[in-house]
Amino acid sequence: MDDPIFSLGLDADGTKIINELVKDSSDLKSKIPSELGLLPIQKVTLFPFQIMPLLVINAKSIKLIDESIMASRLFCVVTQKVETDEYKAANLYKFGTVCKILKMLKLPNNSIRILIQGITRAEIKEFVVEEPYIKARIEIKDDISDDNVEMNALKRNVVNNFQKIALSIPQIGEELQILAMNIEDPGKLSDMVATNINMSTEERQELLEILNVKDRLKKLLFLMNKEIELLEISSKIESKMKSDIDKKQKEYYLRQEMDAIKKELGEGDEVTAEVNELKEKIKNARMPEKVEKIALKELERMTKMQPGFAEYSVSRTYVEWLIELPWSVETGDNLDLSRVKTVLDEDHYDLEKVKERIVEYLAVRKLKTDVKGQILCFVGPPGVGKTSLGQSIARAINRKFVRISLGGIRDEAEIRGHRRTYVGSLPGRIILGMKNAGSKNPIFMLDEIDKVGADFRGDPAAALLEVLDPQQNNSFIDHYLDVPFDLSKVFFITTANILDTIPSALLDRMEVIRIPGYTLEDKISIARKYLIPRQLDENGIKDKEITFSPSAIKTIIKDYTREAGVRNLEREIGNICRKIALSIVEEKKYSHAVSEHNISHYLGAKRFFSEIAERMTTPGIATGMAWTQVGGSILFIESTKMNGKGGLKLTGSLGDVMKESASIALSYLHSNAKKYRINSKIFGLNDFHIHIPEGATPKDGPSAGITLVTSLYSLLTDRVVKNDYAMTGEITLRGKILPIGGVKEKVLAAKEAGIKNIILPKNNQKDLEEIPENVKKFLRFYFVDTIDDAVKQLFGPVKKGKNA
């Protein structure tokens, strides 16, 4: 048996491997030296792009292989004219194939097993030496080809003849036939076909030496026609001689006799009983008429097959899938709106927009019974309860809940399934989810839709277009089932952290509901109402055995977590509960009070510190606000200058948009130096360096524009920015400040960092409605329309007089 490393397969369409080999071979052609060692072989001919295993036992050949492995891994394979163990140059044909060693395995008997790949034809011009192995000067020979009608006709005839031959030769599988149909290059087609059909070594060598592709195809067609005639004659002889019943026929008659005996004994027919059982289930499944006909037709096919056949098992599995799907099973919605509100409030704090949307849907459902399923997209940072909210909605309206994670999916078949022609094929995740739900109107959550990928196997996001389109999903067709399935009553909920990575066509099909991060007060309430009771229950602790003071919860949030959601907060509470559980078991201490003073005893030293503690006492530093996938944050922008020629250096892992904002800020101040009393000579005599700390974290977006211009203005006028101010806004070369997004998350982060005053673009004033009142009362907001307004608010009026 060959070692497994020499096995080689083809993918379903037969093109993947040949494409990779062609690409690799094209790259190697330019690296082939003019002199190469020759490896004589017997009875076979190696063609370009062919992969061939060889067992090398001759000492000269082993020497050649060893030196090739240490060098370029290249040598030339040449067929011997006469079979002999003595390798002589005179016994070799003048044409061979340059090849590359793909794999090598040394065997215990000092022989070598190699796997080689043909690269290109080569003509031997002169033998250089014969010791320690034959070496010759070679010339690479490329195909001579032209694309015309005759060439295309020859290609088509070769493919048709190859398919005819394949019908009589089982070794030529479907994969090779598909490969032949997909090869565009006529030269490569002729080589592939010559490799896989029966012909003599001399005939193969003759094909190898024909460089004109048209002539080569004509010669190949002549040889193929001869082979087809031989195969037809052989088939006629075989059919005449075949008089006995073959094994399958014999088995069939024996089974028929066994069935008759069983009937006489009253035992019945197992296949008939199974088919009758499946037929009864089909009727009870209440499938659509068209689907039921297909199921019964497949059942009829089963009656003509033996249970031991592989096809019987495939058909049975298919029928069972059709039976188990909820074609007409629905759960009744809970239309008691007050009850729904109560359940949603029990499970989740705040999230009023989402709850209001669910209640609105049920109100419409109460007025109109045939409402189509909804398609919502919950967008927000991690840990704010997007996934658990789907479960809560299902519980509230009395529907089944199904969740699948789309993160990392790159194969379209994960959504649509595989066709039944593939071994081990199954439906996609959508149909699998519907089967698990057991009803046709579940809450179906598609988690992490923003993390769907794509590769050579297809684009799952494109497959989701049909699933999430109310106008199309009433007849969704899975490749495995190949019958329409109604998804129009499914309530689809997708979740995402960001919208940027979701294709626009897919995003257009969903109603986006943003779930922002929680405020400090929100987190305290969530911890007391949901997280602490849940962790006490999970760790087996009674309410009277532990108490958390409000200041302790606040300390955990501010000093031990840094997030927009509450996932890490619950993790830290669980950490405390486990330590207290250990104390209860070991020390028999049944009363514990967790406060801000002893919190470090359970969680160690605090991990986060207020960023505003870095007081800005030098010019050139300004505080900005940023939005990230995990919520808002503040960032410090630092500027400095040194002798130079007006250059601008930017550091801190900045994206292209942020770099452009920095250039705009410097250009604006340069062009308006007189207005701001800045000495214009500074710009030509200095280089400027802008840095944003936490350099390992990528940063991008236009909203830092106002902070960049403030930092540079502070540097150029030698005036310190007020340290309790933070700002955000996009700038233009005309000095306008444009609106930005993520206002709520940015404001919450600034408040947590100790900021007291916030500067926002004037057009963002409407966004204050989203900010809770208990946050706004601690902050003062200033809305600016131009850079002049921002400078005036931060530094006061520009002083009149001589330029600085």
Side-chain angles (χ1 to χ4, degrees):
M1 179 182 289
D2 283 342
D3 190 273
I5 65 168
F6 295 107
S7 63
L8 178 66
L10 294 173
D11 63 339
D13 65 3
T15 59
K16 177 183 175 185
I17 287 180
I18 192 69
N19 288 338
E20 292 177 354
L21 298 182
V22 170
K23 180 181 177 183
D24 187 46
S25 300
S26 299
D27 294 340
L28 285 173
K29 270 191 179 182
S30 60
K31 302 177 182 178
I32 298 174
S34 59
E35 290 187 5
L36 275 180
L38 305 184
L39 178 67
I41 57 175
Q42 300 175 3
K43 297 182 181 180
V44 291
T45 302
L46 177 70
F47 286 92
F49 311 111
Q50 180 185 355
I51 288 182
M52 178 185 291
L54 290 176
L55 180 64
V56 183
I57 58 176
N58 184 277
K60 290 185 178 182
S61 298
I62 292 174
K63 178 69 174 176
L64 167 61
I65 299 301
D66 288 338
E67 291 191 10
S68 298
I69 283 291
M70 298 300 294
S72 62
R73 305 172 75 95
L74 301 174
F75 56 88
C76 187
V77 172
V78 186
T79 304
Q80 290 181 308
K81 298 176 182 177
V82 180
E83 293 181 25
T84 175
D85 292 332
E86 293 184 11
Y87 291 175
K88 297 292 185 181
N91 192 32
L92 299 179
Y93 284 104
K94 291 296 184 180
F95 268 76
T97 301
V98 178
C99 68
K100 178 185 177 183
I101 301 174
L102 299 180
K103 293 184 180 179
M104 183 186 81
L105 181 66
K106 290 194 174 183
L107 302 177
N109 60 357
N110 294 325
S111 62
I112 296 177
R113 182 168 287 177
I114 58 173
L115 188 68
I116 59 174
Q117 171 206 335
I119 298 173
T120 182
R121 287 171 166 79
E123 182 179 2
I124 300 172
K125 290 296 184 180
E126 179 183 2
F127 293 101
V128 180
V129 293
E130 290 196 22
E131 295 295 337
Y133 52 81
I134 303 173
K135 193 171 186 179
R137 185 170 58 83
I138 63 169
E139 181 179 341
I140 302 303
K141 294 294 184 180
D142 293 322
D143 286 345
I144 302 171
S145 176
D146 56 341
D147 191 7
N148 53 38
V149 176
E150 184 181 4
M151 182 72 78
N152 291 332
L154 289 169
K155 279 177 55 183
R156 183 177 298 177
N157 288 341
V158 167
V159 173
N160 291 339
N161 282 359
F162 187 65
Q163 291 175 333
K164 289 180 183 178
I165 294 173
L167 294 175
S168 302
I169 302 179
Q171 290 83 355
I172 302 178
E174 183 181 2
E175 294 162 334
L176 284 174
Q177 297 179 56
I178 295 172
L179 180 58
M181 291 188 289
N182 281 279
I183 295 177
E184 297 292 334
D185 190 316
K188 296 179 179 62
L189 174 65
S190 66
D191 291 344
M192 191 281 288
V193 172
T195 302
N196 289 283
I197 64 173
N198 293 326
M199 63 176 70
S200 66
T201 304
E202 291 76 17
E203 290 169 339
R204 282 198 172 91
Q205 183 65 33
E206 184 179 355
L207 287 173
L208 181 70
E209 295 181 6
I210 299 175
L211 300 180
N212 188 292
V213 177
K214 189 181 294 183
D215 294 340
R216 194 191 309 160
L217 287 173
K218 289 179 180 178
K219 179 64 178 179
L220 180 60
L221 278 172
F222 171 78
L223 296 174
M224 295 177 80
N225 288 330
K226 185 172 71 173
E227 179 67 14
I228 290 171
E229 289 178 6
L230 289 173
L231 289 172
E232 288 175 351
I233 295 171
S234 298
S235 177
K236 289 179 181 178
I237 294 172
E238 184 179 355
S239 62
K240 288 179 181 178
M241 293 179 62
K242 190 173 183 180
S243 58
D244 297 331
I245 300 174
D246 62 18
K247 184 179 178 181
K248 287 185 179 180
Q249 289 177 314
K250 193 173 184 179
E251 182 181 345
Y252 173 77
Y253 286 119
L254 289 173
R255 287 188 180 277
Q256 291 293 100
E257 290 180 12
M258 287 176 62
D259 291 342
I261 294 171
K262 285 182 178 179
K263 286 180 181 179
E264 290 294 326
L265 295 174
E267 295 181 1
D269 180 8
E270 291 180 9
V271 175
T272 303
E274 185 176 37
V275 168
N276 290 335
E277 180 186 353
L278 291 173
K279 188 177 292 185
E280 186 67 25
K281 288 181 178 180
I282 290 172
K283 292 180 180 178
N284 295 334
R286 293 185 293 169
M287 304 174 185
E289 184 179 350
K290 180 180 178 182
V291 178
E292 185 173 334
K293 285 182 180 179
I294 292 174
L296 291 173
K297 185 177 180 181
E298 192 69 25
L299 208 58
E300 187 178 347
R301 287 184 67 241
M302 287 176 57
T303 60
K304 300 174 183 178
M305 293 184 283
Q306 297 301 326
F309 289 2
E311 192 65 25
Y312 181 89
S313 176
V314 171
S315 294
R316 190 182 191 284
T317 303
Y318 175 71
V319 172
E320 287 177 342
W321 266 101
L322 291 177
I323 291 171
E324 293 172 3
L325 286 174
W327 298 98
S328 55
V329 180
E330 288 187 47
T331 54
D333 287 345
N334 172 26
L335 300 179
D336 184 349
L337 302 187
S338 59
R339 165 65 181 161
V340 171
K341 290 179 182 177
T342 302
V343 172
L344 292 174
D345 289 337
E346 284 177 1
D347 293 346
H348 288 82
Y349 178 82
D350 196 19
L351 304 180
E352 294 302 326
K353 284 188 177 181
V354 183
K355 296 175 182 177
E356 181 182 355
R357 182 66 185 82
I358 301 305
V359 173
E360 287 172 355
Y361 166 73
L362 292 177
V364 174
R365 179 79 171 77
K366 203 168 185 177
L367 298 175
K368 186 180 180 183
T369 56
D370 59 343
V371 178
K372 289 185 178 180
Q374 302 298 296
I375 301 171
L376 305 181
C377 179
F378 295 161
V379 181
V384 295
K386 299 185 295 295
T387 303
S388 60
L389 186 57
Q391 296 172 315
S392 179
I393 293 171
R395 187 168 78 91
I397 65 178
N398 191 36
R399 288 198 184 186
K400 301 287 187 179
F401 179 76
V402 182
R403 172 190 168 274
I404 63 173
S405 177
L406 300 178
I409 287 182
R410 295 179 176 274
D411 188 354
E412 180 191 0
E414 293 278 359
I415 305 299
R416 289 188 176 275
H418 294 84
R419 299 190 185 279
R420 281 192 293 153
T421 52
Y422 294 97
V423 176
S425 58
L426 285 173
R429 295 196 184 192
I430 301 297
I431 293 298
L432 178 61
M434 296 303 296
K435 175 189 171 185
N436 293 337
S439 74
K440 63 184 297 185
N441 64 335
I443 301 290
F444 204 126
M445 176 161 279
L446 303 172
D447 223 354
E448 311 291 357
I449 197 170
D450 56 327
K451 298 173 181 63
V452 174
D455 61 15
F456 66 91
R457 293 169 293 183
D459 185 358
L464 286 172
L465 291 176
E466 181 184 0
V467 176
L468 299 180
D469 190 338
Q471 305 303 320
Q472 301 181 43
N473 63 9
N474 60 345
S475 57
F476 171 72
I477 295 182
D478 183 276
H479 287 159
Y480 178 82
L481 298 181
D482 205 24
V483 295
F485 187 85
D486 187 4
L487 297 175
S488 63
K489 294 191 176 182
V490 178
F491 194 135
F492 283 105
I493 298 176
T494 66
T495 70
N497 296 129
I498 55 174
L499 296 177
D500 299 347
T501 57
I502 302 176
S504 57
L506 185 58
L507 187 61
D508 184 58
R509 286 163 166 77
M510 303 182 289
E511 179 182 343
V512 176
I513 298 179
R514 296 185 180 275
I515 303 179
Y518 295 113
T519 65
L520 175 63
E521 290 73 15
D522 289 341
K523 292 181 180 180
I524 292 173
S525 299
I526 293 170
R528 296 184 68 84
K529 190 174 180 180
Y530 302 99
L531 306 185
I532 292 175
R534 185 159 62 213
Q535 286 301 317
L536 292 181
D537 180 64
E538 289 185 3
N539 291 282
I541 301 174
K542 298 176 182 177
D543 291 344
K544 62 182 180 181
E545 294 175 337
I546 182 174
T547 59
F548 285 82
S549 69
S551 60
I553 299 174
K554 185 176 181 180
T555 302
I556 297 173
I557 294 169
K558 297 186 70 174
D559 296 346
Y560 293 90
T561 65
R562 184 63 57 87
E563 59 181 344
V566 293
R567 187 170 291 152
N568 287 327
L569 174 58
E570 182 173 11
R571 191 174 292 122
E572 297 301 337
I573 292 172
N575 193 5
I576 293 172
C577 289
R578 288 191 295 274
K579 286 181 169 56
I580 289 175
L582 179 63
S583 175
I584 292 173
V585 173
E586 290 186 343
E587 302 173 12
K588 308 300 181 184
K589 184 179 178 182
Y590 296 97
S591 178
H592 297 78
V594 181
S595 67
E596 63 177 319
H597 303 295
N598 65 359
I599 197 75
S600 60
H601 172 70
Y602 298 104
L603 299 179
K606 69 179 184 178
R607 299 171 199 146
F608 300 101
F609 299 86
S610 175
E611 293 177 78
I612 203 62
E614 182 184 333
R615 296 294 178 181
M616 295 175 291
T617 58
T618 59
I621 302 177
T623 306
M625 298 184 293
W627 180 92
T628 69
Q629 294 186 29
V630 295
S633 68
I634 68 167
L635 49 85
F636 293 97
I637 294 183
E638 304 171 350
S639 300
T640 188
K641 66 181 190 297
M642 67 288 291
N643 292 335
K645 297 181 181 179
L648 176 62
K649 183 178 182 180
L650 302 168
T651 55
S653 295
L654 309 187
D656 291 339
V657 177
M658 188 172 278
K659 290 178 181 178
E660 290 172 0
S661 295
S663 297
I664 292 171
L666 185 61
S667 297
Y668 175 79
L669 291 174
H670 193 173
S671 62
N672 292 274
K674 185 175 181 180
K675 177 169 63 171
Y676 292 115
R677 318 307 298 171
I678 300 172
N679 188 346
S680 60
K681 294 181 180 179
I682 293 177
F683 296 96
L685 299 175
N686 291 274
D687 285 341
F688 298 90
H689 184 173
I690 297 176
H691 176 68
I692 301 179
E694 297 185 26
T697 305
K699 310 168 190 72
D700 204 1
S703 64
I706 187 175
T707 317
L708 288 162
V709 79
T710 299
S711 173
L712 286 170
Y713 179 86
S714 168
L715 174 71
L716 293 169
T717 59
D718 201 30
R719 300 171 71 182
V720 178
V721 182
K722 297 175 183 178
N723 58 24
D724 59 350
Y725 273 77
M727 63 209 75
T728 182
E730 181 180 356
I731 60 172
T732 71
L733 281 173
R734 296 179 294 115
K736 297 288 289 183
I737 297 180
L738 305 180
I740 42 76
V743 172
K744 181 179 179 181
E745 289 82 359
K746 293 176 180 179
V747 170
L748 293 180
K751 192 254 182 186
E752 291 300 312
I755 296 294
K756 303 297 183 186
N757 302 278
I758 292 178
I759 295 177
L760 294 172
K762 189 174 183 179
N763 288 336
N764 281 117
Q765 192 166 357
K766 64 183 187 305
D767 295 314
L768 287 191
E769 296 176 3
E770 299 181 1
I771 300 173
E773 290 297 329
N774 59 354
V775 173
K776 287 194 284 189
K777 67 183 181 181
F778 292 104
L779 300 170
R780 288 190 297 275
F781 295 91
Y782 303 96
F783 298 96
V784 295
D785 191 41
T786 64
I787 293 175
D788 291 348
D789 298 336
V791 170
K792 184 177 179 180
Q793 182 61 45
L794 287 164
F795 301 97
V798 178
K799 295 179 181 180
K800 296 181 180 180
K802 194 175 180 180
N803 287 1

